[in-house]
Amino acid sequence: MSKMNRQPHGKAPAPSQQAPWALFLLALAFSICLLTAPANAAEPEDDFLDIVAQIHEADTLSASGKDAPAVTLYKQAQTNLFAFRKNNPTWNTKMVALRLTYLQDKTTPASPTAQSQAAGKPQPAKGGKEVKLLQAGGEQRQALRLKPEVGAKQSLNLNFKMAMEVKMGAVQPPATKIPAIDIPMELTVKAVADNGDITYELVMGEPSIVEETGIAPQVMEAMKASLTGLKGSSGTGRISDRGLTLAWDLKTAGADPQSKQLMDQMKDWLANIALPLPEEPVGPGARWEAKTPLKSQGIAINQTATYELVSLEGSQVTIKSSVTQSAGSQKIQNPTMPGMPLDLIKMTGTGAGDSTMDLAKAFPVTVTAKSRSELTMSMTMGGQKQAMSMKNDLTLKLESK
């Protein structure tokens, strides 16, 4: 879902193409689940999510080689999205535009890419991402491409920890201490197509909570409940040899509602855990940017990530990155607490990280990252609106064997 301390000169953003930056979203999921209330479905957001679900279903068909039905579904989603834009002309125009670009690429594959390259503009990448080379870097440049072998495995472990502060009106309770979590995962490369596309399977092991003193019992219990159904959950994905997500489907092993909700959030960043690589050959010092629309807990988020190639030795690559995220005023669709309106007024996020890659592997070898997100919200309680603000600090580490 890119990552750690030094920031490149420039702007910033995502775990992988998005990648582990999407853990910003996981932090939001935990925060809202633990400390706030769900929102009633907001009409435009619900309609848009239905269209996104159509697109994901089409992506799954495409990943399975069922191109004809996939194209039919892409065209249906495209028609629905055009109608959505007509009925909601001011709703998150950037996100709608990116999805329309993606659907245009899926329904007329040759034209968008050719036109973008001819105009010298950033190329809309598969999966709705826009990747733009900012600086080519030093000499001895090479095209960065993932080339894992079929059957190759990676044992991954994700460790993340959050600290959270919440203010309700004029009342600011002590900061909530949240224990660190370890989530083991096993990745297996199932197929590599002639065009370089990589199909893989990801299976989750049993998560564990790192015991600490000073953790509120209700927080510990809520987190344990959320993690209960994760073991055995599995996903099948397909990425390009540039690390761009083409398809992703995740199945939850447990039936617990809290586990399912957490998996819905994790699905987004697991789909984008690989780092997005530029189309052009690059050398040390190269910089590129990836823009991605995201959705978490019903929040539509705009994300920009900037990557810098620190070193390149054979298949070994070191990259540092920075990320910014923002979201404007909108209703939040949060199914955990139906019946209590929750409105987002503003959300901002920043982060930085370091990653190492082996181009012979599908996922990064190591990722370390730190990020902070701040939200301003309001909710209706007892017929009155109550102001609420939230700050999340997140530290994560991904290691691969």
Side-chain angles (χ1 to χ4, degrees):
M1 331 185 21
S2 328
K3 328 342 207 65
M4 182 95 186
N5 278 326
R6 299 168 309 208
Q7 293 190 13
H9 306 308
K11 216 165 167 169
S16 80
Q17 312 147 59
Q18 289 220 114
W21 291 120
L23 277 171
F24 272 7
L25 307 184
L26 189 56
L28 290 181
F30 270 122
S31 302
I32 294 176
C33 286
L34 291 173
L35 300 173
T36 85
N40 292 327
E43 187 58 31
E45 286 83 350
D46 282 350
D47 291 343
F48 184 78
L49 285 174
D50 287 342
I51 296 170
V52 171
Q54 274 189 306
I55 296 172
H56 287 171
E57 184 179 349
D59 287 338
T60 300
L61 290 172
S62 177
S64 303
K66 301 176 181 178
D67 294 334
V71 170
T72 299
L73 197 54
Y74 282 131
K75 289 181 177 179
Q76 291 176 3
Q78 186 179 47
T79 299
N80 292 339
L81 192 52
F82 276 127
F84 176 88
R85 186 174 66 173
K86 182 178 179 180
N87 295 329
N88 305 277
T90 62
W91 189 87
N92 211 316
T93 55
K94 290 184 178 180
M95 179 177 288
V96 172
L98 281 171
R99 290 292 184 178
L100 284 172
T101 298
Y102 178 61
L103 289 170
Q104 183 182 4
D105 184 45
K106 288 296 187 180
T107 53
T108 56
S111 64
T113 299
Q115 290 175 359
S116 295
Q117 291 176 336
K121 297 179 180 178
Q123 178 181 343
K126 295 177 179 179
K129 271 183 192 24
E130 191 178 273
V131 181
K132 178 183 179 181
L133 182 66
L134 303 176
Q135 183 176 318
E139 297 302 320
Q140 297 183 335
R141 299 168 187 163
Q142 72 178 65
L144 303 181
R145 297 294 184 267
L146 302 175
K147 298 180 179 179
E149 295 183 355
V150 175
K153 295 182 180 293
Q154 279 183 264
S155 295
L156 304 163
N157 186 77
L158 173 67
N159 174 278
F160 65 93
K161 184 174 182 179
M162 293 177 288
M164 183 167 52
E165 296 180 15
V166 176
K167 184 177 181 180
M168 300 285 290
V171 180
Q172 182 166 1
T176 301
K177 190 175 181 181
I178 301 175
I181 298 174
D182 281 319
I183 303 179
M185 298 175 284
E186 188 77 17
L187 179 145
T188 304
V189 176
K190 294 296 186 179
V192 179
D194 291 341
N195 66 354
D197 289 355
I198 302 158
T199 299
Y200 65 90
E201 180 184 49
L202 191 66
V203 179
M204 302 185 69
E206 184 170 5
S208 60
I209 295 178
V210 181
E211 297 290 342
E212 295 182 50
T213 59
I215 305 294
Q218 64 269 30
V219 173
M220 187 70 76
E221 290 306 312
M223 295 191 71
K224 286 181 178 179
S226 295
L227 298 173
T228 300
L230 298 191
K231 182 180 180 181
S233 298
S234 64
T236 300
R238 183 162 58 93
I239 59 175
S240 73
D241 57 3
R242 289 174 51 208
L244 303 173
T245 299
L246 307 177
W248 170 245
D249 182 49
L250 181 64
K251 296 181 180 179
T252 308
D256 181 83
Q258 288 177 293
S259 299
K260 286 189 174 182
Q261 186 195 8
L262 179 58
M263 288 304 292
D264 284 343
Q265 303 306 317
M266 297 181 69
K267 181 176 181 178
D268 292 332
W269 67 263
L270 283 173
N272 295 294
I273 200 170
L275 293 175
L277 302 173
E279 176 72 28
E280 302 86 349
V282 293
R287 294 175 57 246
W288 62 96
E289 177 184 84
K291 293 185 177 182
T292 310
L294 305 173
K295 192 82 173 182
S296 177
Q297 287 297 114
I299 304 176
I301 299 172
N302 294 315
Q303 175 174 281
T304 302
T306 299
Y307 304 91
E308 181 176 343
L309 180 58
V310 177
S311 66
L312 174 59
E313 298 180 7
S315 66
Q316 305 301 307
V317 182
T318 303
I319 295 172
K320 65 179 180 180
S321 60
S322 59
V323 61
T324 59
Q325 295 182 329
S326 64
S329 177
Q330 55 192 280
K331 295 281 186 180
I332 299 178
Q333 178 186 340
N334 182 2
T336 57
M337 299 175 174
M340 187 177 291
L342 180 63
D343 298 318
L344 177 71
I345 298 171
K346 184 180 179 182
M347 175 266 181
T348 59
T350 59
D354 293 319
S355 303
T356 59
M357 300 176 64
D358 181 344
L359 297 177
K361 298 181 182 293
F363 280 11
V365 176
T366 64
V367 174
T368 56
K370 290 184 178 181
S371 65
R372 161 164 279 213
S373 59
E374 299 186 13
L375 300 88
T376 304
M377 297 174 285
S378 68
M379 66 178 71
T380 301
M381 301 179 68
Q384 295 184 335
K385 282 204 169 185
Q386 177 73 53
M388 175 180 178
S389 63
M390 183 184 301
K391 295 180 181 180
N392 290 301
D393 288 293
L394 172 67
T395 301
L396 74 86
K397 186 173 184 179
L398 178 73
E399 294 181 301
S400 170
K401 298 179 181 179

